[in-house]
Amino acid sequence: MKKTVPLILGFTGWMVCMCSCSTTKFVGDDEYLLDRVSIRVDSSRVSPGDLKPYLRQQPNFKIFGILKWPLYVYNWSGRNEKSRLNRELRRLGEPPVIVNDTLTRQSLTELKRYLVNKGYLHAEVSASVDTVSRKKATVRYHVVPNEPYRIQQYRIRIDHPRIDSMVRLEAPRPSWLSSLFHSAEEFTPLVQAGDLLDRDLLNRERQRVTTLLRRRGYYAFHQDAIRFTADTLTGNRVHLEMTLKPLSAEDSLAERMYRPYYIHRVRIMTGYDPLNPEKNVPKDSILKQQIRLYSGENGQTLRPDVLLHKCCILPGTLYSERNVEQTYNALMTLRTLRYVNIRHEEFEENDTLKLNCTILTTPEKTQGVGVEVEGTNSSGDFGFASGLNYQHRNLFRGSELFSAKIRGAYEALSQTRGSGRGNYWEYSGEASVLFPSFLFPFLDPDFRQKLRATTELKLSYDRQQRPEYQREILSGGWSYIWQNRISTLERHTLKLLDVNYIHLPYIDPSFKDSLPGLTTLYNYNDLFIFGSGYTYSFNNYDPLKRDRNTYSFRVSVEMAGNLLYGLSGLFGADRDAYGRYKLFGLHYSQFVKGDIDFARSITIDERNSLAVHLGGGIGYPYGNAKELPFERRYFAGGANSNRGWSVRSLGPGSMPVTDRTTFVNQVGDIRLDASIEYRSKLFWKFELAAYVDGGNIWTIRTYDYQPNGNFDLTRFYREIAVSCGLGLRLDFDYFLIRFDTGMKTYNPQEKGRRKWALLYPGERSQYAWHFAVGYPF
């Protein structure tokens, strides 16, 4: 504790100096720093948070809503504008926001416009400026929404019978099972009686009707043709009517908007070069399934049936914007294509509007080689890794992606049993083929076309060499990955076959003697895992719309050994002395495992956000196994877990940590995770985070070598470990580097008062440092 007193005093003194810095250093004599903005609304129907984005002036940014760090950095600069240091400080910081009467009036206009658009036509907005403090001011906005206008009656009046029937069409909600394969389409009108006269709602209804018609042949239809007429003569009750722009003899475009288009001819051109139009002269063509395919100067690089399978635009059918979207998305899944463009040429023949469709595809480089170099840090043990990978994007002329990768890694181990220090080496190789379709017999062709599916075959070999043992893992798998072609937010992964053979050519005798008998039997002998699994994930994150709230959800189930166990019993296979069946003389594992994770990011403003994560998992060994394989067990602590602990150093339960505790002991069958993280942008690419993590792991059974490690309803809530910390991140938009420092707050593995680790901040063991790529959740 004595060691931390100077640190705490120094940090406190630094914070006092920071907060005491003048925030009005660059505020003129007749100017006021905008210190605070408040919005008071005399109605519970309107949220001040919804109004804040429409203010033209906001106070200087505060880190975590407390400290005006960018303003302090700016004020560190001197008045000499020629000084390079001053210019850099001003670039990294943020200049003071000066109260501007013109911008305040503009804010009142924007607030009034927003309220009117939301149906509050008689809203009253006012502002006052409080300049009591020296050179600082508070702007207070007062909003009185008054009674809003509501839609009493909604009527659709369209003079075109076919269009009228489509707009009024209502579709039943799809079942949960069908929604796994098809996107839900809402046909029900969004506007209903009783709704506010909300202009945003009317615009969404315009978009719904436009999408509906363009998916049913109306190629030239535009949302500007939809008109809403509101009769506001009946007090605050409105009679709303939707109509279409009337036809005019002088306006030929309007006449085409209300007529359906048919696909006349479809052409697919391969080898298209958008940068060299003179080279885009077709060399050859073939006609197949009424679609003509033209080859470029390099010939047909893709088999015709591959392109035809991805094309949903067919001659003789009604134009559908959905078919165009599906075709584009399907073609873009072909790794051998870099660019896809779909063009339409319209014409009229025999009083029928028709379209010629041309699909232009630009090929990607067929082969590529890459080198990877990375640094690693596991529990403070530093190391490095490098790899070489090769890709062939058109292996069998069907856009099959062949990938091969070799990787080597080294890590200097600070502690190994019996030798103090040691080295960890890993060598691995992997080969896989990704087919751009659902490879499964007897599937309906229409079903295949509705899915954005791939089939993956993978084979890998991994050799791990530690002072205690050597491990070799040979793995193979057959998986299906699919998404709906319209909505790519959902993703399904079915591991039809997941086979792992684990072989230990060497194990240190002293290390083996130190292991519990059950662990040696089920984890440090040759092992065979034969299973399958399914994973569903949803993520609405969009890198182009980073200012909106996002959330993700993931659930997975894995089962292993059931088929082998059933066959062993069916054919009367012999059991060994421990009651286990074997396959080719090898023990195979049998278990079921499930995981669920949910994460949500809430945008507070353009520079602050709050992220929350909840997760859990459980694995249960049975039948041919009494313990989960080590590779399938959970661990706690690390950069993506409870960050107050190093990786694999927490749990299970309240099991005490002694000198004999190793990574072998600190594993479990049940996990609970919870995290909350406040993220605040500093300057340039830097971001600061403050977080609290909670969770632990437990065993599903009671094991002698893991005392108090089992899950018990009477005590598990007292075994949830808690940590807190700060993190610094470098956000480069498409990837992020982070440095997190975690401090134990509550440690269930200690006893008595020492459980509250926050009371002992001077002990180095209470901290953990993490370096990682990407957000923890």
Side-chain angles (χ1 to χ4, degrees):
M1 192 70 178
K2 292 180 180 180
K3 295 181 181 180
T4 63
V5 172
L7 293 175
I8 295 175
L9 291 177
F11 180 76
T12 304
W14 180 77
M15 289 295 295
V16 170
C17 290
M18 282 292 303
C19 295
S20 64
C21 292
S22 174
T23 57
T24 59
K25 179 178 178 179
F26 291 99
V27 178
D29 293 335
D30 298 327
E31 297 176 332
Y32 291 93
L33 174 71
L34 182 58
D35 188 55
R36 185 170 174 266
V37 171
S38 65
I39 303 176
R40 181 165 65 90
V41 183
D42 291 352
S43 174
S44 60
R45 292 189 295 261
V46 179
S47 170
D50 295 334
L51 300 175
K52 191 175 180 180
Y54 296 91
L55 300 181
R56 300 301 299 272
Q57 266 197 316
Q58 299 282 0
N60 286 97
F61 167 66
K62 293 181 179 180
I63 296 177
F64 305 142
I66 301 174
L67 189 66
K68 295 182 179 180
W69 170 268
L71 178 59
Y72 290 141
V73 173
Y74 187 92
N75 286 339
W76 287 349
S77 67
R79 299 186 183 277
N80 183 5
E81 296 183 356
K82 296 182 180 181
S83 170
R84 182 176 180 180
L85 176 61
N86 291 340
R87 292 198 305 268
E88 286 299 314
L89 288 173
R90 293 187 181 189
R91 185 180 66 85
L92 296 176
E94 181 183 48
V97 178
I98 307 300
V99 175
N100 187 309
D101 292 338
T102 301
L103 294 179
T104 301
R105 289 192 296 271
Q106 290 180 4
S107 297
L108 292 174
T109 302
E110 292 294 330
L111 291 175
K112 176 74 173 180
R113 182 180 292 114
Y114 169 79
L115 291 167
V116 170
N117 288 341
K118 288 297 181 182
Y120 297 89
L121 275 62
H122 299 305
E124 301 174 31
V125 183
S126 61
S128 61
V129 181
D130 182 2
T131 59
V132 176
S133 300
R134 182 177 180 275
K135 288 191 175 184
K136 294 182 180 181
T138 298
V139 179
R140 307 182 193 278
Y141 293 91
H142 183 204
V143 177
V144 182
N146 292 319
E147 192 65 24
Y149 279 73
R150 292 188 178 275
I151 300 171
Q152 184 178 33
Q153 183 183 48
Y154 178 49
R155 179 186 176 192
I156 299 175
R157 184 170 62 84
I158 298 177
D159 296 333
H160 306 274
R162 183 177 178 182
I163 295 179
D164 182 73
S165 64
M166 290 181 184
V167 173
R168 297 175 186 274
L169 180 66
E170 296 188 11
R173 185 177 296 273
S175 66
W176 177 84
L177 183 61
S178 64
S179 67
L180 293 179
F181 303 96
H182 308 278
S183 63
E185 181 180 32
E186 294 291 343
F187 295 103
T188 305
L190 299 176
V191 180
Q192 302 291 336
D195 290 339
L196 291 175
L197 186 60
D198 187 341
R199 184 168 294 183
D200 293 333
L201 177 64
L202 302 186
N203 287 335
R204 291 198 300 272
E205 176 68 0
R206 278 193 180 96
Q207 184 60 48
R208 182 193 72 86
V209 173
T210 301
T211 301
L212 194 66
L213 294 178
R214 286 181 62 85
R215 289 179 177 178
R216 282 160 178 76
Y218 294 87
Y219 168 78
F221 189 85
H222 193 273
Q223 66 178 6
D224 290 342
I226 301 173
R227 296 179 175 181
F228 289 100
T229 304
D231 179 6
T232 59
L233 300 179
T234 56
N236 284 5
R237 299 296 175 180
V238 177
H239 289 180
L240 185 69
E241 184 177 75
M242 185 182 79
T243 59
L244 297 183
K245 179 181 177 181
L247 292 176
S248 171
E250 295 80 13
D251 191 353
S252 60
L253 180 61
E255 188 268 339
R256 288 171 176 262
M257 282 197 300
Y258 306 139
R259 293 175 59 188
Y261 283 72
Y262 289 84
I263 301 296
H264 176 63
R265 186 171 59 210
V266 179
R267 301 183 302 168
I268 301 178
M269 180 179 292
T270 62
Y272 177 75
D273 187 351
L275 301 179
N276 299 288
E278 67 279 359
K279 294 184 178 181
N280 298 320
V281 179
K283 302 297 182 182
D284 195 8
S285 70
I286 60 171
L287 182 65
K288 197 170 184 178
Q289 297 179 16
Q290 299 182 325
I291 298 177
R292 186 163 292 276
L293 294 92
Y294 293 88
S295 58
E297 60 181 3
N298 295 325
Q300 285 285 356
T301 57
L302 282 170
R303 297 194 309 270
D305 60 294
V306 175
L307 294 170
L308 294 175
H309 173 70
K310 300 295 182 180
C311 183
C312 302
I313 307 172
L314 303 177
T317 62
L318 268 176
Y319 166 81
S320 171
E321 190 176 57
R322 165 174 280 183
N323 289 344
V324 175
E325 293 170 351
Q326 287 182 339
T327 300
Y328 179 84
N329 291 334
L331 289 172
M332 287 304 297
T333 62
L334 300 177
R335 305 297 180 95
T336 191
L337 297 181
R338 177 190 298 179
Y339 172 81
V340 175
N341 186 17
I342 302 177
R343 299 176 181 177
H344 292 92
E345 298 176 3
E346 56 181 295
F347 66 97
E348 187 170 0
E349 183 180 68
N350 299 327
D351 294 329
T352 302
L353 293 175
K354 296 183 179 182
L355 293 169
N356 285 331
C357 176
T358 302
I359 303 173
L360 307 174
T361 65
T362 302
E364 181 62 275
K365 290 183 178 180
T366 304
Q367 303 181 65
V369 178
V371 178
E372 298 177 356
V373 179
E374 60 183 279
T376 61
N377 178 13
S378 301
S379 300
D381 296 336
F382 291 92
F384 67 89
S386 62
L388 177 68
N389 61 75
Y390 165 79
Q391 285 190 340
H392 193 297
R393 299 181 179 89
N394 199 19
L395 187 62
F396 306 118
R397 295 183 62 243
S399 193
E400 300 87 358
L401 176 65
F402 171 77
S403 300
K405 180 179 180 180
I406 56 174
R407 181 179 182 271
Y410 167 80
E411 190 173 288
L413 302 178
S414 57
Q415 290 184 353
T416 58
R417 184 167 184 85
S419 59
R421 296 184 61 86
N423 298 322
Y424 170 77
W425 294 91
E426 182 177 2
Y427 313 94
S428 62
E430 179 182 297
S432 65
V433 180
L434 193 67
F435 297 89
S437 60
F438 222 127
L439 295 185
F440 199 84
F442 314 118
L443 283 181
D444 182 66
D446 292 337
F447 175 80
R448 294 175 187 264
Q449 198 170 50
K450 290 176 181 178
L451 296 181
R452 185 177 179 177
T454 57
T455 303
E456 182 179 38
L457 302 178
K458 180 184 290 187
L459 184 66
S460 66
Y461 170 79
D462 186 21
R463 179 182 176 86
Q464 305 166 2
Q465 184 172 321
R466 292 178 59 98
E468 302 94 340
Y469 60 84
Q470 295 177 10
R471 186 197 304 264
E472 297 176 343
I473 303 175
L474 182 64
S475 303
W478 181 352
S479 302
Y480 297 107
I481 304 101
W482 74 91
Q483 296 172 294
N484 187 276
R485 285 192 173 176
I486 297 299
S487 173
T488 59
L489 303 180
E490 297 176 315
R491 181 183 176 92
H492 308 266
T493 303
L494 174 64
K495 291 186 177 181
L496 189 64
L497 291 176
D498 187 12
V499 182
N500 296 268
Y501 166 59
I502 303 170
H503 172 58
L504 275 77
Y506 167 79
I507 182 169
D508 183 79
S510 61
F511 173 73
K512 185 175 183 179
D513 292 340
S514 69
L515 295 175
L518 201 63
T519 300
T520 303
L521 190 65
Y522 288 100
N523 282 297
Y524 286 90
N525 276 307
D526 292 353
L527 179 67
F528 191 70
I529 302 175
F530 185 92
S532 58
Y534 168 77
T535 300
Y536 167 82
S537 61
F538 178 94
N539 193 332
N540 70 340
Y541 173 75
D542 186 345
L544 301 179
K545 300 178 181 178
R546 306 185 70 181
D547 58 340
R548 72 174 185 179
N549 296 343
T550 62
Y551 63 94
S552 63
F553 175 75
R554 180 180 179 275
V555 60
S556 64
V557 177
E558 179 184 10
M559 294 183 291
N562 294 329
L563 178 62
L564 297 179
Y565 191 82
L567 293 175
S568 299
L570 181 64
F571 293 105
D574 297 329
R575 298 177 183 264
D576 63 9
Y578 302 98
R580 303 176 301 173
Y581 291 121
K582 290 188 176 183
L583 177 68
F584 306 123
L586 297 175
H587 163 242
Y588 60 85
S589 188
Q590 187 177 8
F591 62 89
V592 60
K593 183 183 178 184
D595 289 273
I596 185 169
D597 287 276
F598 173 81
R600 181 168 178 79
S601 178
I602 303 170
T603 300
I604 300 174
D605 55 42
E606 62 180 4
R607 303 184 70 168
N608 293 275
S609 62
L610 185 70
V612 180
H613 168 250
L614 296 172
I618 182 171
Y620 181 70
Y622 60 96
N624 213 48
K626 294 183 180 179
E627 188 174 278
L628 284 177
F630 185 81
E631 291 76 12
R632 298 298 196 273
R633 303 194 79 180
Y634 299 110
F635 65 88
N640 298 320
S641 181
N642 206 318
R643 285 167 280 183
W645 281 259
S646 298
V647 64
R648 297 184 184 272
S649 63
L650 171 62
S654 56
M655 183 189 77
V657 177
T658 66
D659 294 339
R660 297 181 61 85
T661 302
T662 66
F663 64 91
V664 176
N665 307 82
Q666 295 193 285
V667 290
D669 313 311
I670 300 173
R671 72 171 175 95
L672 290 177
D673 295 313
S675 297
I676 183 169
E677 185 171 281
Y678 192 104
R679 299 165 182 168
S680 188
K681 295 186 180 299
L682 294 176
F683 52 83
W684 190 53
K685 303 294 184 181
F686 287 96
E687 180 181 289
L688 191 65
Y691 58 84
V692 177
D693 295 331
N696 205 338
I697 56 172
W698 293 266
T699 62
I700 202 166
R701 292 173 176 165
T702 301
Y703 300 114
D704 294 338
Y705 68 95
Q706 293 174 308
N708 296 327
N710 64 303
F711 185 87
D712 191 326
L713 286 174
T714 63
R715 71 168 197 273
F716 86 94
Y717 58 90
R718 300 195 302 268
E719 298 172 337
I720 295 177
V722 181
S723 65
C724 60
L726 296 174
L728 182 66
R729 285 86 191 271
L730 276 168
D731 187 356
F732 295 99
D733 294 333
Y734 288 97
F735 76 97
L736 178 140
I737 300 173
R738 62 183 169 97
F739 306 88
D740 288 341
T741 300
M743 178 182 178
K744 298 180 179 67
T745 303
Y746 177 77
N747 188 354
Q749 294 179 293
E750 297 285 357
K751 294 183 179 180
R753 191 169 179 267
R754 289 195 61 84
K755 286 179 179 288
W756 297 99
L758 194 63
L759 301 176
Y760 304 90
E763 298 181 6
R764 188 176 180 182
S765 60
Q766 308 293 15
Y767 299 89
W769 291 266
H770 306 282
F771 168 77
V773 176
Y775 283 117
F777 52 86

